[in-house]
Amino acid sequence: MSQKNHKMINGRLLQMNKPFSQLKQKQKEKIQEWLYQEYARIYDEIGKPPSSKHNIEILSAVYDKIESAEIWIPFHEAEKYFYSRKRRFQTRYEKAHNTEKDQ
């Protein structure tokens, strides 16, 4: 059973433990793009798909951006979303970089 967790921030009552699905579409897209950019940066750095030991590095960097953008979502929700999309990020990266090499 989930319990709502609200805090008063800058005169606004905000729910601090939203599931990813409750975010606005623009917020979801921002988070997805940040996760992909960080995934691609690590991929470029090591020259292969990031392994599980890089997951926390990717998530930490992106979660800092999430907090600075004042998107109120718990870390575990961002983590769950990242793991569900990780394979798609790899496919997207490889597709983008294979077409660059073909040209």
Side-chain angles (χ1 to χ4, degrees), residues 39-90:
Y39 181 90
R41 186 188 68 77
I42 299 288
Y43 201 130
D44 287 338
E45 234 176 61
I46 62 175
K48 61 182 182 179
S51 64
S52 58
K53 68 180 182 178
H54 296 100
N55 290 344
I56 295 300
E57 182 182 344
I58 292 169
L59 285 163
S60 295
V62 171
Y63 199 73
D64 290 342
K65 290 180 183 180
I66 291 171
E67 286 182 330
S68 66
E70 296 184 352
I71 299 173
W72 306 107
I73 183 172
F75 183 83
H76 69 87
E77 284 290 325
E79 182 179 33
K80 187 169 80 172
Y81 180 74
F82 172 68
Y83 290 134
S84 74
R85 303 291 296 188
K86 190 174 177 184
R87 182 71 184 144
R88 291 184 180 139
F89 292 153
Q90 181 179 351

Side-chain angles (χ1 to χ4, degrees), residues 7 9 18 28 30 35 37 45 49 57 59 63 80 82 86 92 95 98 101:
K7 289 187 181 175
I9 297 177
K18 289 182 183 176
K28 291 177 187 179
K30 272 186 193 177
L35 285 167
Q37 288 172 352
E45 234 176 61
E57 182 182 344
L59 285 163
Y63 199 73
K80 187 169 80 172
F82 172 68
K86 190 174 177 184
R92 178 178 164 189
K95 194 174 191 180
N98 285 339
K101 290 177 185 176

